[in-house]
Each structure stands twice: as structure tokens, then as C-alpha cells.
Amino acid sequence: MTSHQSTQTMKPATAAKKLGVYLEATPTEFQEGVVSRTELNALQADPPAWLRDLRRTGPHPRPVVASKLSVSIAGLARGGVTKPLTTERIDALKQENPDWLQKERAIQAEVRKEAERIKARDAARAAERAGGDSTGS
């Protein structure tokens, strides 16, 4: 008996999220169609000009904006950034370095530092348990 694998498809919003682009800035045919897993892989492996341009100049979705500014998505909202931004606007914000951005970057740095501390603590505990188990007790 042979199995027929159905083609996995996704909504354009899901595909745009996986590609790291703002859906409303994509071509109409992308927004109105469905994207198969194969098509998504092809777009990732060999992006067409529109995708390269969007990734380079934007507008970028919030997760990408947050990453480029080194803040959280919640930090963007607290700073009043609720709409997609272009690369040019992101670069301008970096140059302006407003108070809210400085504060959110500091918060994000603390969050990363705490995550590293917890990761190291958990790794040490796991190593302790692994070492303790070898005694045969």
C-alpha cells in the first residue's frame, strides 16, 4: 500500500511570518494565494527580487523591528511603535537613540543576562544529576 502525501499549504500570513516580512507589503498574488511547503522552501533558498527588497528595506513586521532595535515586541509597544517600520526609519531611531529605546535596550539586556544565568544554573544541575547517577545508588 502506498501512501499519498498531501501537499502541505499555509495561509499567506503564516508564510510571511516564516519569511520575516510584512504581509501587506508583499505582492498581491502572494497575499491572495496559498503557499505550499515546497514553495516556501524555494522562496527561502532563492528569494525573488521582491522578497530580497522587502528584507532589505522593509517595511518590517514587529518581530524584525524589535530584533533590529535589540528590544522586545512589548518594548516596542511601550515606546509607541505599533506600525511596521522601514530599514531607513529603524536606522534613524538608532541614531536618535530616544530615552525609551535606551530604557528598553537595558531591560532586554537584563532579560538576556538572566536567561543565560538560568541556562548555566540548569546545565550545572543536569551535570550534577548525571554525575550522581553513575554511582549506582
Side-chain angles (χ1 to χ4, degrees), residues 63-133:
V64 174
V65 173
S67 176
K68 287 178 178 277
L69 290 174
S70 301
V71 299
S72 66
I73 293 173
L76 284 179
R78 286 189 294 267
V81 178
T82 57
K83 298 193 185 305
L85 299 180
T86 62
T87 300
E88 184 179 335
R89 183 63 188 123
I90 292 167
D91 290 343
L93 268 173
K94 287 178 179 178
Q95 288 297 315
E96 295 164 13
N97 202 17
D99 290 342
W100 72 264
L101 183 56
Q102 294 174 40
K103 180 181 173 191
E104 293 301 331
R105 283 180 165 170
I107 290 169
Q108 194 65 15
E110 285 299 316
V111 168
R112 279 193 292 272
K113 197 161 78 173
E114 180 64 6
E116 283 298 316
R117 185 191 68 77
I118 290 170
K119 185 177 174 182
R121 180 201 67 194
D122 292 348
R125 286 181 179 171
E128 257 179 44
R129 280 193 300 274
D133 290 346

Side-chain angles (χ1 to χ4, degrees), residues 44-60:
Q44 289 172 323
D46 186 20
W50 65 263
L51 182 54
R52 289 191 306 270
D53 290 344
L54 269 180
R55 286 177 169 169
R56 185 175 49 257
T57 62
H60 302 287

Side-chain angles (χ1 to χ4, degrees), residues 2-22:
T2 59
S3 67
H4 296 287
Q5 193 171 20
S6 64
T7 304
Q8 260 189 332
T9 59
M10 60 193 81
K11 294 177 183 176
T14 304
K17 188 175 185 176
K18 289 180 180 288
L19 293 169
V21 295
Y22 181 57

Side-chain angles (χ1 to χ4, degrees), residues 22-41:
Y22 181 57
L23 177 63
E24 283 74 13
T26 62
T28 306
E29 51 280 7
F30 181 86
Q31 293 179 37
E32 294 175 353
V34 293
V35 180
S36 72
R37 174 68 61 189
T38 305
E39 290 168 330
L40 178 70
N41 290 341

